[in-house]
Amino acid sequence: DVIKFDVSLEPAIRYAIGQALVCDAIAEARKVAYQSGDGQRYKVVTLEGTVLLKNGSIQGGLATTQSRARKWDEKKYDDLKAARDSILAEAAGGSEAEEARIQIEIKDLESRLEAAKRRIDSSGNEVSLIKSQIATFTANAQKAKDSIAEQVKKLAAYTKAIESCKGEADKLQKVVSAAEAEIFKDFKKVVGIEDIAELERKETLKARIRAEKRRQFAVVIQKLKFAVEAESKRVGVSRPEALDEAIKKNDKDLQACDSERTLYKKTLEQTVKTAKDASDKTISSKAELDQLEATIRKNSQNSEHDMRKLFEMKKNITIKNATCNALRQQRVTLFERCVMNEIEIPTKAPEDVGTKRGRESNTLSSRGGRQKHGQNDDDGETEDIVVSEAFLTYATTGTQANSSTNARTLTRAATSIQTSVCIDFSALDNDVRREMISRPRFESYKHQAESTIDQLERELETIAPNLKATTKFGVSEQKLGQSNSHVEKARENHRVALAEFHQVKELRTARFNTTLETLVVSLDKIYGELTVDTRGRNIVGTAYLTAEEHEEPYNGGTKFHVVPPLKRFMTIDALSGGERTMAALALLFAIHSIAPTPFFVLDEVDAALDSGNVQKLAEYLVNHASDCQYIVVSLKEQQYHKADSLVGVFKDQKRESSGVITLDLKTFSSGKR
């Protein structure tokens, strides 16, 4: 009643507008739409064009446009005001504020420059470490390539064995064909045909002809009987000779039929026996083929287990190397402290150690300059330490070398440089050097040396010292002690942190590997259930997971390998949509077996599956319904007819909303479900 339109458009207008009401203002429209006494909501339109829908949303109208325009004007005003305040502040600050700001920026840039330099130094160390890791990874890759080559050889051998089995099956088929030809050879020559089916057709035709002749003979005999009876009545005497001849002829025909039947029976028995033997051989060949496939899968799993052991050993070697590096650093620190305290330590240059190795009476080891002497009573062969391994330290450009028969000592000078030296133990007694081999004996010797040093210090205190030298020495010793304590504390913290890091790393790796192995076992089992042959044959697919990073598997990815039934190995991208769906569901259910959830919501996961795979998925859900609750959204009859209950959603035209219906299927028999 408020819209003008053509009468022919009335159905379309009524459909577009419906039962909408028209109000003057928005306040009145809200009361009418949402605050009616009967509790019903109505669709209302204001004269400004604002539409109030039944669901509570408001659309269109001039109010929103004016509100947006007002907000834009306020924002522009605030921006201009802020710009004015900024200009006034800059004008009031003057050159002093600008100079202060520039000084702050310069300090900031200087701090950034220092940080960049430190970052460059640390990057150089990281580059060296990465190069060593690249060398290690290259060696590991070469070992992996060798292992892959060995596995390829094994696979070629297994393939050859399978081909030989196929060749034997072909030979057996040829033997069967030859046996059939041999069995029916004489028979074919007798009957003069090459096809047994043609022989059967001919024999059937002959049987029909004989039956027809018997019928004709019976008719003739009956006629003859009537004629004989009539003739006998007329003559009064029968002819026994004719009857005897007829009987003999019938006996001959009966014997010929019996001989043919015996021949056919023997031929049939031989044929059945030959077919049975061929079937048994085929079954045994299939069993051998399945055994070979199982052996291939087992060998693949064993190779993965060996790779994990190898990476565990490499990890232990890395930990041992870190411990050795810490001990080497401790040795360098102790050596430098001795040099600072002017304690003479015999040393040799690495090139001098290399030139003298050939003239030693015993063999030097390849590392550390160790020599082997005799046998030990406790643990067999021992080593006498002649010189230590070479290490870098700060010597001086003015170093004075006091040469003796077996030693070279370093003295102090003006300018320090970093040089490589070896500690010379040749001046020590043989007994002392042997004490250094055994850990308990070395600790005992260490305690004795410390007690001797304490005794000498007490004797030194009794002598009148130079007070000034003592003061300087005390200050220097105090500073050195503080520095050493800080260094030792930092190293101890580093050692503790490194040990905790390796402990957490080992625990994390062990838990990850345990979870992955459990997941692989469950995944293979579940994928086998989802892909089992419904025709009764024990043919299933194979699925497993492998970690891309073996040393730290939790930092790398995981590869998903799937081999559907009766198919060769291929990447998961090359599988069909249904096969990928079954593989993804198997992985999902396997994860659920490790970390169970109270229920599953599967939204049309069977959209890409055919009827056979839908039936397998439904059977799996029914068999595992006791583990958790499955809520499945599906349009496939093979899926939802096995459910315990159904929930249907439909469009209710009268209420203009969705309707829900339910159906409990537990009341029906399980067979019908």
Side-chain angles (χ1 to χ4, degrees):
D1 55 349
V2 295
I3 299 176
K4 294 182 180 180
F5 54 86
D6 191 356
V7 178
S8 60
L9 301 177
E10 182 177 358
I13 297 298
R14 288 187 177 275
Y15 177 79
I17 297 175
Q19 301 295 329
L21 302 177
V22 180
C23 296
D24 295 333
I26 187 67
E28 182 182 0
R30 286 177 178 172
K31 290 181 180 180
V32 174
Y34 307 129
Q35 299 178 6
S36 61
D38 56 358
Q40 295 290 332
R41 290 189 173 189
Y42 300 97
K43 181 179 178 182
V44 180
V45 181
T46 64
L47 296 178
E48 295 177 351
T50 304
V51 180
L52 285 75
L53 301 178
K54 293 181 180 180
N55 57 6
S57 60
I58 301 176
Q59 300 177 354
L62 298 176
T64 56
T65 304
Q66 294 174 358
S67 176
R68 292 195 193 100
R70 183 167 57 255
K71 288 181 180 179
W72 186 87
D73 294 338
E74 292 175 356
K75 184 176 182 302
K76 186 176 180 181
Y77 174 75
D78 293 338
D79 293 341
L80 293 174
K81 187 177 180 181
R84 185 200 65 180
D85 294 339
S86 176
I87 292 171
L88 292 175
E90 290 179 359
S95 60
E96 294 180 357
E98 184 68 19
E99 184 179 357
R101 185 179 63 80
I102 293 172
Q103 291 294 334
I104 293 172
E105 291 180 356
I106 291 172
K107 291 182 179 180
D108 186 23
L109 292 175
E110 288 177 352
S111 62
R112 290 184 181 180
L113 180 60
E114 293 295 331
K117 289 180 179 179
R118 290 194 296 271
R119 194 179 300 112
I120 290 171
D121 295 337
S122 62
S123 299
N125 297 330
E126 290 179 358
V127 168
S128 301
L129 180 60
I130 290 171
K131 287 182 179 179
S132 62
Q133 291 180 354
I134 290 172
T136 304
F137 292 155
T138 304
N140 294 339
Q142 185 62 34
K143 291 181 180 179
K145 288 181 180 179
D146 297 339
S147 177
I148 291 171
E150 184 178 356
Q151 295 298 326
V152 169
K153 291 180 181 179
K154 290 182 180 180
L155 180 61
Y158 295 147
T159 305
K160 186 176 180 181
I162 293 172
E163 293 295 333
S164 64
C165 291
K166 290 182 179 180
E168 291 180 0
D170 295 337
K171 290 180 181 179
L172 291 175
Q173 184 63 34
K174 292 180 181 180
V175 170
V176 171
S177 301
E180 290 180 352
E182 185 65 25
I183 290 170
F184 295 107
K185 181 178 180 181
D186 298 336
F187 185 72
K188 291 178 181 178
K189 290 181 179 180
V190 172
V191 298
I193 60 174
E194 296 181 357
D195 192 359
I196 300 299
E198 183 178 1
L199 175 62
E200 291 179 353
R201 289 194 297 271
K202 288 184 178 181
E203 291 299 327
T204 303
L205 182 60
K206 288 182 180 180
R208 291 178 181 176
I209 293 173
R210 285 197 297 269
E212 182 66 23
K213 288 183 178 180
R214 288 194 186 95
R215 188 183 63 78
Q216 293 176 2
F217 288 153
V219 174
V220 172
I221 289 170
Q222 192 64 30
K223 290 180 179 180
L224 292 174
K225 284 182 179 180
F226 291 152
V228 168
E229 289 178 359
E231 190 67 23
S232 297
K233 289 179 180 180
R234 186 179 67 82
V235 177
V237 180
S238 60
R239 298 180 62 185
E241 296 82 1
L243 295 175
D244 292 337
E245 291 178 358
I247 291 171
K248 290 179 180 180
K249 185 177 180 181
N250 291 331
D251 291 337
K252 289 180 180 179
D253 293 337
L254 183 61
Q255 291 177 0
C257 292
D258 290 338
S259 62
E260 290 178 358
R261 186 186 66 178
T262 303
L263 179 61
Y264 292 156
K265 187 176 181 180
K266 289 181 180 180
T267 304
L268 180 61
E269 290 176 353
Q270 292 178 358
T271 304
V272 171
K273 184 178 179 181
T274 304
K276 185 177 180 181
D277 294 340
S279 178
D280 294 338
K281 290 181 180 180
T282 303
I283 293 172
S284 63
S285 299
K286 289 182 178 179
E288 292 177 358
L289 181 60
D290 295 337
Q291 186 176 3
L292 288 174
E293 291 179 351
T295 304
I296 292 172
R297 289 195 294 268
K298 185 176 180 181
N299 291 334
S300 299
Q301 295 176 358
N302 291 337
S303 63
E304 292 179 0
H305 183 67
D306 293 339
M307 288 296 292
R308 285 196 292 270
K309 285 185 177 180
L310 177 61
F311 283 110
E312 288 292 334
M313 294 175 65
K314 289 182 178 178
K315 181 178 64 178
N316 294 333
I317 291 172
T318 303
I319 295 173
K320 296 294 183 183
N321 289 335
T323 305
C324 292
N325 291 332
L327 293 174
R328 292 189 183 99
Q329 185 63 31
Q330 186 177 359
R331 178 182 58 194
V332 172
T333 303
L334 184 60
F335 178 80
E336 291 177 352
R337 289 176 59 186
C338 292
V339 172
M340 291 177 63
N341 293 329
E342 297 183 355
I343 299 174
E344 295 183 355
I345 297 178
T347 58
K348 287 184 177 181
E351 55 270 15
D352 296 339
V353 175
T355 56
K356 292 182 179 180
R357 284 182 178 176
R359 297 194 293 270
E360 292 290 342
S361 58
N362 296 311
T363 304
L364 288 171
S365 64
S366 61
R367 184 173 183 179
R370 298 179 182 269
Q371 293 180 346
K372 299 182 179 179
H373 290 285
Q375 299 289 330
N376 192 7
D377 296 337
D378 298 332
D379 44 13
E381 189 178 276
T382 62
E383 293 181 353
D384 290 346
I385 301 177
V386 178
V387 292
S388 69
E389 64 179 356
F391 60 92
L392 294 176
T393 184
Y394 285 95
T396 59
T397 56
T399 301
Q400 300 295 329
N402 298 326
S403 301
S404 63
T405 305
N406 296 318
R408 175 181 294 177
T409 59
L410 298 175
T411 59
R412 300 179 61 187
T415 307
S416 297
I417 60 172
Q418 193 174 22
T419 59
S420 177
V421 297
C422 299
I423 299 176
D424 185 11
F425 300 106
S426 61
L428 298 175
D429 295 337
N430 292 333
D431 296 336
V432 175
R433 283 187 288 172
R434 291 192 178 93
E435 292 291 338
M436 298 171 66
I437 301 301
S438 176
R439 184 75 177 179
R441 291 159 62 184
F442 175 74
E443 293 293 336
S444 177
Y445 179 79
K446 180 181 177 182
H447 290 311
Q448 292 178 4
E450 288 177 352
S451 63
T452 303
I453 292 171
D454 293 337
Q455 183 179 0
L456 293 174
E457 287 180 352
R458 286 194 297 269
E459 293 177 359
L460 183 63
E461 289 177 358
T462 59
I463 303 172
N466 186 356
L467 298 178
K468 188 175 181 181
T470 304
T471 303
K472 292 182 178 179
F473 177 76
V475 173
S476 300
E477 188 176 17
Q478 184 179 4
K479 291 182 179 179
L480 178 62
Q482 291 177 356
S483 300
N484 289 335
S485 63
H486 290 307
V487 172
E488 292 297 332
K489 185 177 180 180
R491 288 177 179 170
E492 182 64 21
N493 293 335
H494 174 265
R495 186 187 64 79
V496 172
L498 183 63
E500 292 179 354
F501 170 76
H502 286 298
Q503 184 179 3
V504 173
K505 178 182 175 182
E506 291 176 359
L507 180 60
R508 186 177 181 185
T509 303
R511 289 185 177 179
F512 183 87
N513 290 332
T514 302
T515 305
L516 181 62
E517 291 175 359
T518 306
L519 181 61
V520 168
V521 174
S522 179
L523 174 61
D524 188 48
K525 179 181 177 182
I526 293 174
Y527 188 70
E529 293 182 18
L530 290 175
T531 58
V532 67
D533 194 352
T534 57
R535 291 173 290 183
R537 295 182 295 178
N538 190 16
I539 300 175
V540 297
T542 303
Y544 59 94
L545 298 172
T546 56
E548 294 180 350
E549 179 67 29
H550 293 280
E551 185 175 357
E552 295 182 1
Y554 45 80
N555 286 336
T558 305
K559 290 184 179 180
F560 188 15
H561 306 277
V562 178
V563 181
L566 301 177
K567 288 192 176 182
R568 60 180 179 84
F569 175 80
M570 62 182 69
T571 60
I572 197 168
D573 296 333
L575 300 177
S576 64
E579 291 171 343
R580 281 184 286 183
T581 301
M582 298 297 281
L585 289 174
L587 180 59
L588 179 65
F589 294 146
I591 295 173
H592 167 260
S593 65
I594 297 176
T597 57
F599 61 89
F600 264 104
V601 179
L602 304 177
D603 187 5
E604 294 193 28
V605 296
D606 54 1
L609 302 180
D610 56 8
S611 59
N613 287 329
V614 173
Q615 184 177 358
K616 294 176 185 177
L617 177 59
E619 292 291 341
Y620 178 85
L621 297 179
V622 171
N623 294 335
H624 295 79
S626 59
D627 300 337
C628 68
Q629 183 181 7
Y630 292 98
I631 303 173
V632 183
V633 180
S634 176
L635 300 176
K636 301 293 182 70
E637 180 182 359
Q638 297 90 342
Q639 183 76 267
Y640 60 74
H641 87 283
K642 291 182 176 293
D644 292 333
S645 61
L646 296 179
V647 178
V649 181
F650 66 97
K651 183 178 181 180
D652 192 346
Q653 297 288 348
K654 295 181 179 179
R655 297 173 56 188
E656 295 184 358
S657 63
S658 298
V660 178
I661 57 175
T662 60
L663 177 62
D664 187 5
L665 298 181
K666 294 181 180 179
T667 57
F668 300 94
S669 62
S670 59
K672 292 183 179 180
R673 279 197 295 130

